[in-house]
Amino acid sequence: MGTMNMMKINNVVFTSLSFLFLVLLLLLLLQNPTRVSAKEPKQASSPPRGWNSYDSFSWTISQEEFLQSAEIISERLLPHKYKYVVVDYLWYRRKVKGAYTDSLGFDVIDEWGRMAPDPERWPSSEGGRGFTEVAKKVHRMGLKFGIHVMRGISTQAVNANTPILDINTGRAYEEFGRKWNAKDIGIKERACAWMPHGFMSVDTKLGAGRAFLRSLYEQYAEWGVDFVKHDCVFGDDLDINEITYVSEVLKQLDRPILYSLSPGTGVTPSMAKDVSGLVNMYRITGDDWDTWGDVAAHFNITRDFSTANMIGAKGLMGKSWPDLDMLPLGWLTDPGSNEGPHRTSMLLPDEQRTQMTLWSMAKSPLMFGGDVRKLDGATYNLLTNPTLLEINSFSLNNMEFPYITSTNNFKSLDSQSGRYLTDVSTSDTHVLSLTSCTNSKAIGWSIKTVDQDLEQICWKEHLGSKHQKPFCLYKKEPQFSSDEWMSHKQQYQGKLQLFATDRMDFCLGGSPNQKLTSKELKSGAFVPCRWHTNQMWELSVNGTLANSYSGRCATVNSIKAEVRPGGTRSWIATGRKGEIYVAFFNLNPERTVISAKISDMAKVLPGKHFNGNSCQCREVWSGKDIRVRKQTISRGVKARGCALFVLKCK
């Protein structure tokens, strides 16, 4: 954030009635389910530690509703260091019949093709003032102000062929003796996969493309924006060129702006390493809603990112943080609804504590996506729990802790780690994913002839087992009518479409066509075929298979797919005053006793040598002191619940 000293963002509030908090940040977004995140600032643009946020999918929020929510946050949550309020997506979409997430022609744009707030919902934006007045009011409340933005340029601006603003002259951008317009910079074949009629990438190799992006972010700074959530540029929709250039622009601005990426489908630690140094936070999961499946889906990916040392890695003028998405708590809307909020979260109290505890131990930004105007006591107490905010903001050495045991007639699966889980069955399965085309693991595709008229593209013959069939996809070159060929031949010539079966009506896509929830998270999906770069592939002579939309290459792994009804997990971290935080998570459908030895904790914590007999232990959710017996802490944990311990050892 500019010259501000920030370590990390954690608590944000998004409002559409959504808010995003950090240990010094608080954001209001207008669209998603309840979320919260907390972390502390250390360097410019790093999400500050202790930031939280609120989010809801009701994009119809008005200026009046937004400011009402911001005032409540200022009065009730600011003492807890929730500092940012962020307006989520579609603030530029008119609220009229026929308008929806991917509708075309209902957006408000200025003469330069830039999005402007809908004046019917945001009356202070009249006269080209944008969010200036709203940001001023938010700042007077002691809060920071943020907005959600989309990739590149809108289809509406390209269709209108609006001129490009040169911020240096205040006139239309000119280069090579001519003026440049929206149609010159928009890349139609790189439309946003989940909003194809809404936005497309711009060509950052062109001076005009860079001038357009600069005009956007200069305008956001003029409005008083402190936080930008940049959507449809990450995960399977990765646009590294746009992310890189936007990051450069933000470094040069006179005011600090935190930089967040979304969505998070198909994200791996390897991909995140390409962007983490350019941003302050980035989504690593699909949209998170209020189901137990969504909560449970976060455990593996969170473990992978902590193992890869991505928590608090170097970021834009500070640090960066993996974002687990919203906390769907309190008063919500249904997914995809334009109206609301109108219902309470479907997560049970124990499930809510599990989610909030995992997010805090993993130091994810804490975003609350519910309506703060109807914030009930239980939700308020959970969001402002001092121990969780302390962990989320200031803890170190955060990681999954493998040395636990559990008892409930469970069978030990791993005698070395000592973890006990419910029965697990396994089966061989292929996992198709995307990776950098320079990665040697992307090499291994070849053509196999099926018959005279049909060919397949197959991955390396046998994936770990000579008895396992190779992974193959049917291929064909795109077939166009004469009119289609004239418009598409340049970008699709030499490209292939790939199919799971010889029916050839469902094509492999390189990115999702809609935002996916965590439980649906996947890289490559077979969807009805259409002429879109997302479904076009190119087989290179070196054996790589590149997707024309993302520029990333397909790779295949064979894994033992574990099918388990539950399990037990644990996380560990250290506090700034020498505390040790240990969380037990019971993913099973019945109560389970989970245990951990003090001596095993020393194995994963650098420089820690202590005797369990010298440890004092308190369990946070019960508020009870726990005796350390035989160098072990043990606790019965409810189904889908958790226990959180604070240990102080001499």
Side-chain angles (χ1 to χ4, degrees):
M1 283 193 54
T3 59
M4 184 180 298
N5 181 31
M6 310 190 80
M7 291 180 64
K8 87 187 261 189
I9 303 178
N10 267 66
N11 307 41
V12 181
V13 180
F14 286 89
T15 136
S16 193
L17 294 175
S18 338
F19 309 142
L20 179 65
F21 312 160
L22 317 185
V23 160
L24 283 185
L25 302 180
L26 175 332
L27 316 171
L28 260 171
L29 308 185
L30 299 176
Q31 281 7 87
N32 306 333
T34 305
R35 312 189 217 184
V36 180
S37 77
K39 305 197 192 306
E40 165 197 347
K42 174 177 181 179
Q43 281 184 311
S45 284
S46 288
R49 293 181 185 151
W51 67 280
N52 312 51
S53 103
Y54 296 93
D55 227 339
S56 85
F57 278 95
S58 171
W59 62 264
T60 56
I61 191 174
S62 66
Q63 177 174 316
E64 180 182 8
E65 292 168 323
F66 179 84
L67 292 175
Q68 286 175 355
S69 301
E71 189 170 358
I72 292 171
I73 294 167
S74 175
E75 293 174 352
R76 297 193 64 191
L77 296 171
L78 187 56
H80 298 279
K81 297 184 179 178
Y82 289 81
K83 282 287 198 64
Y84 282 75
V85 291
V86 179
V87 180
D88 211 341
Y89 80 147
L90 300 180
W91 40 265
Y92 41 80
R93 185 69 45 84
R94 294 188 184 277
K95 184 181 177 181
V96 295
K97 185 177 181 179
Y100 59 98
T101 300
D102 192 35
S103 60
L104 177 60
F106 295 97
D107 293 340
V108 181
I109 60 176
D110 67 10
E111 61 181 308
W112 307 108
R114 300 176 299 182
M115 313 313 295
D118 171 20
E120 293 298 317
R121 289 186 287 136
W122 304 88
S124 69
S125 67
E126 290 278 13
R129 290 175 293 176
F131 279 120
T132 303
E133 295 304 316
V134 171
K136 286 180 180 178
K137 291 181 179 180
V138 167
H139 291 156
R140 284 197 292 267
M141 296 177 193
L143 302 174
K144 300 285 187 178
F145 176 71
I147 59 174
H148 172 288
V149 301
M150 292 293 295
R151 79 186 304 158
I153 191 170
S154 72
T155 304
Q156 191 165 318
V158 171
N159 290 345
N161 202 25
T162 53
I164 306 301
L165 173 64
D166 184 340
I167 61 168
N168 295 316
T169 65
R171 298 189 297 271
Y173 182 84
E174 294 186 38
E175 191 178 15
F176 304 121
R178 73 179 182 92
K179 294 181 179 180
W180 292 70
N181 296 78
K183 287 185 178 179
D184 299 319
I185 65 170
I187 307 176
K188 291 185 177 180
E189 59 268 26
R190 284 190 56 80
C192 176
W194 60 267
M195 197 193 287
H197 296 104
F199 292 83
M200 65 185 74
S201 290
V202 299
D203 191 342
T204 56
K205 296 178 181 179
L206 297 175
R210 296 192 298 274
F212 177 77
L213 291 176
R214 180 173 289 279
S215 74
L216 290 179
Y217 288 86
E218 290 275 0
Q219 182 182 62
Y220 302 151
E222 291 174 3
W223 285 349
V225 170
D226 305 294
F227 179 99
V228 167
K229 177 183 176 183
H230 196 182
D231 208 337
C232 208
V233 292
F234 190 46
D236 290 331
D237 294 294
L238 180 67
D239 191 333
I240 191 67
N241 292 332
E242 183 165 331
I243 293 170
T244 301
Y245 186 69
V246 169
S247 183
E248 292 175 2
V249 171
L250 293 178
K251 286 181 185 178
Q252 300 165 8
L253 294 177
D254 293 334
R255 64 176 295 105
I257 296 179
L258 289 183
Y259 190 21
S260 169
L261 299 184
S262 182
T265 51
V267 176
T268 62
S270 176
M271 178 190 290
K273 287 180 180 179
D274 293 336
V275 303
S276 61
L278 302 171
V279 303
N280 304 117
M281 55 183 282
Y282 48 90
R283 278 267 300 279
I284 62 173
T285 69
D287 288 343
D288 176 59
W289 276 95
D290 52 330
T291 68
W292 171 246
D294 272 14
V295 174
H298 287 78
F299 279 88
N300 285 348
I301 192 168
T302 304
R303 172 203 60 207
D304 294 343
F305 272 78
S306 68
T307 301
N309 297 316
M310 299 301 291
I311 299 175
K314 182 180 179 181
L316 174 62
M317 296 184 286
K319 294 188 178 183
S320 62
W321 311 93
D323 172 14
L324 296 181
D325 200 36
M326 298 174 297
L327 295 164
L329 314 172
W331 193 244
L332 309 174
T333 64
D334 288 323
S337 172
N338 282 353
E339 300 292 344
H342 60 263
R343 65 175 179 83
T344 57
S345 173
M346 293 185 292
L347 291 175
L348 299 174
D350 286 314
E351 296 170 341
Q352 294 182 26
R353 283 192 286 271
T354 292
Q355 183 173 38
M356 186 73 178
T357 303
L358 176 63
W359 265 235
S360 298
M361 291 293 288
K363 305 195 80 167
S364 168
L366 298 177
M367 308 179 198
F368 168 66
D371 188 344
V372 290
R373 299 172 304 169
K374 295 188 177 182
L375 191 59
D376 62 277
T379 303
Y380 175 84
N381 290 335
L382 184 60
L383 297 178
T384 60
N385 182 281
T387 303
L388 292 182
L389 295 183
E390 172 72 18
I391 292 171
N392 191 251
S393 301
F394 300 107
S395 61
L396 298 171
N397 304 308
N398 304 68
M399 69 188 83
E400 186 172 83
F401 178 63
Y403 303 104
I404 58 171
T405 59
S406 62
T407 57
N408 192 13
N409 297 321
F410 288 1
K411 177 183 177 182
S412 174
L413 296 179
D414 186 342
S415 58
Q416 184 176 9
S417 72
R419 175 175 292 160
Y420 288 74
L421 302 168
T422 52
D423 290 338
V424 174
S425 62
T426 64
S427 62
D428 289 325
T429 185
H430 295 111
V431 175
L432 179 67
S433 59
L434 298 178
T435 187
S436 169
C437 292
T438 60
N439 189 335
S440 61
K441 294 181 180 180
I443 300 173
W445 295 95
S446 60
I447 294 178
K448 176 182 177 182
T449 301
V450 179
D451 57 39
Q452 186 175 359
D453 301 317
L454 194 61
E455 289 183 329
Q456 291 180 320
I457 291 181
C458 297
W459 184 246
K460 301 171 184 178
E461 278 300 304
H462 300 290
L463 287 163
S465 170
K466 65 181 181 180
H467 303 294
Q468 189 179 21
K469 292 182 179 180
F471 179 82
C472 296
L473 299 166
Y474 291 89
K475 80 175 187 72
K476 75 170 182 180
E477 296 182 1
Q479 302 295 314
F480 299 102
S481 66
S482 57
D483 291 339
E484 288 174 327
W485 179 244
M486 292 304 295
S487 61
H488 292 299
K489 68 176 182 179
Q490 217 172 7
Q491 65 260 39
Y492 294 159
Q493 194 167 17
K495 305 296 174 63
L496 305 168
Q497 286 184 303
L498 302 174
F499 311 84
T501 70
D502 57 5
R503 284 182 52 198
M504 296 188 176
D505 50 1
F506 278 77
C507 294
L508 176 67
S511 66
N513 289 325
Q514 59 182 357
K515 287 189 170 183
L516 301 178
T517 63
S518 299
K519 64 182 177 182
E520 299 167 319
L521 188 61
K522 51 190 175 183
S523 289
F526 290 95
V527 294
C529 298
R530 60 191 179 96
W531 302 127
H532 190 286
T533 317
N534 174 39
Q535 296 182 5
M536 299 296 167
W537 301 83
E538 185 172 7
L539 179 65
S540 300
V541 293
N542 69 347
T544 59
L545 184 63
N547 178 258
S548 300
Y549 176 80
S550 66
R552 297 175 69 79
C553 284
T555 185
V556 178
N557 295 304
S558 178
I559 64 171
K560 291 285 186 181
E562 293 185 353
V563 182
R564 59 177 57 160
T568 54
R569 309 292 278 267
S570 178
W571 272 67
I572 195 169
T574 56
R576 54 179 170 171
K577 296 180 181 179
E579 309 96 325
I580 299 172
Y581 301 109
V582 179
F584 290 166
F585 299 99
N586 177 22
L587 279 59
N588 295 303
E590 62 276 317
R591 182 180 181 276
T592 302
V593 177
I594 306 174
S595 304
K597 292 183 178 180
I598 300 295
S599 58
D600 286 335
M601 297 178 193
K603 295 178 181 179
V604 298
L605 298 178
K608 291 290 184 182
H609 304 284
F610 40 71
N611 186 314
N613 295 328
S614 68
C615 295
Q616 295 179 332
C617 180
R618 179 177 60 88
E619 200 284 310
V620 172
W621 299 117
S622 66
K624 295 181 178 180
D625 292 330
I626 305 298
R627 289 187 61 184
V628 178
R629 300 174 183 271
K630 297 181 179 180
Q631 304 284 314
T632 299
I633 57 172
S634 185
R635 185 75 175 174
V637 183
K638 294 181 181 179
R640 299 177 175 177
C642 68
L644 177 59
F645 304 96
V646 181
L647 288 101
K648 296 181 179 180
C649 302
K650 296 180 181 179

